[in-house]
Amino acid sequence: MTQHKAISGTPITGAIVTGGAGFIGSHLCESLLRKGLPVVLVDNFCTGLRDNAETLKQHAKAKSNLHVVEADVIEPWSWVDKISPGIRSKISHVFHFASPASPPLYQDMAFATLWVNTTGLNHALEFADTIKARVVFASTSEIYGDPEISPQPESFWGNVNSFGVRSCYDEAKRFGEALIFTHNWKKKTQHGLVRIFNTYGPRMNPHDGRVVVNFLMQALRSEPLTVFGDGSQTRSFCYIDDLVDGIWRYAESELTTPVNLGNDREFSILELVETVKKMLPEKKLKVEFQDLPKDDPKQRRPDLQLAKKELAPWQPSIQLADGLKLMYAWLEQQHESI
Ligand code: NAD
Ligand code: UDP
């Protein structure tokens, strides 16, 4: 397990994690519990797994440290009154990670996606201010849209369609960034955000619909891998442990400006197919080409210079082939129940 060290800024002494039953949120909760820190996991389970919360409850150090709250964070945060004064006094950070994240799911829940990253984020900021906690918001590479430059540095302002099927997600995240900037500017606070690039790993909902979990589930069932378009579009895939390490370092830093987090090794979707096939030669997997979804970005690769400098010695270290094996092993274990 990676050792997280405070760079400067605020060490984490306890946290609220919205979206804590989700893929990234549950790993974040686990890393907090491993350190013996109190965690308030808040989720409405719209895309996350109840099993993720159950798994966390069984964690050796969870006993009195894990508090699971079922709530929609778009609604007023009345549940905060039920947090005991002992826990409340320890909360140094609010990780606002609640949001549908996969294109098919956020398009199904388009209004909820708009509100959770705007109204929901505003609730997080307002509450955090009352206890002087630091908010870390899960922003995304989607704010770059279909990028004209590669790799994408934080200074690139993006090429986003504000009036299309992906805009409920992309523009809500962009508004979220603007809200954090404005909140810090006008209220002299120190909240921040990370721009997360495609991350994968165990505990992602098997029915989530994003490319890595789709391919691995299809492989598990010996079905053809569904490639959208001609498969020449690229993504850069980061394993969850590398991401969580980066989020910790950012959270404990004094940074308030956006920082990219991900893995800068870029793969076309056809290269991802080949990597999966190589991992499972006995499956003799086939490919089925399907239509490219609207506004699907052609390329995505993070420029990690800022992250490597500001969050040193952070850098992604897990190779795609290794991470895929870990995720596949987890999916195999779930196979009975899915
Ligand atoms: P996920 O769907 O697994 O997790 C999101 C969690 O938020 C789920 O448990 C869901 O039930 C919960 N949630 C959604 N709306 C809610 C609401 N209104 N109230 C309470 N809970 C709610 O997705 P993820 O991949 O873990 O993504 C987590 C965060 O990171 C999201 O904000 C996402 O936009 C961001 N992000 C993820 C990636 C990635 O590659 N995984 C990339 C960029 C950004
Ligand atoms: N994709 C694919 N097959 C799938 C799911 C996705 O070819 O079964 C493609 C999708 O069109 C996109 C890329 O894989 O170009 C990444 O898609 P994903 O939904 O994982 O996330 P995105 O980066 O688009 O938000």
Side-chain angles (χ1 to χ4, degrees), residues 101-104 106 141-142 166 198 209-212 214-215 218 226-229 231 233-235 237 269 292-293 296-297 300:
S102 109
Y106 70 62
S141 54
E142 293 285 325
R166 290 176 84 104
N198 300 65
R210 279 175 277 184
V211 68
V212 175
N214 267 10
F215 283 4
Q218 289 159 349
T226 51
V227 171
F228 299 165
Q233 70 273 31
T234 69
R235 294 294 186 271
F237 302 104
I269 298 306
L292 189 68
D296 199 278
R300 228 185 267 135

Side-chain angles (χ1 to χ4, degrees), residues 18 25 35 49 54 70 75 99 101 128 149 166 182 188 222 225 228 243 248 272 293 303:
T18 76
K35 291 217 157 189
L49 300 172
E54 291 307 316
E70 184 163 352
E75 302 299 328
S99 172
I149 54 169
R166 290 176 84 104
T182 307
K188 310 272 178 275
S222 301
L225 309 185
F228 299 165
L243 179 80
W248 262 83
L272 177 63
D303 182 328

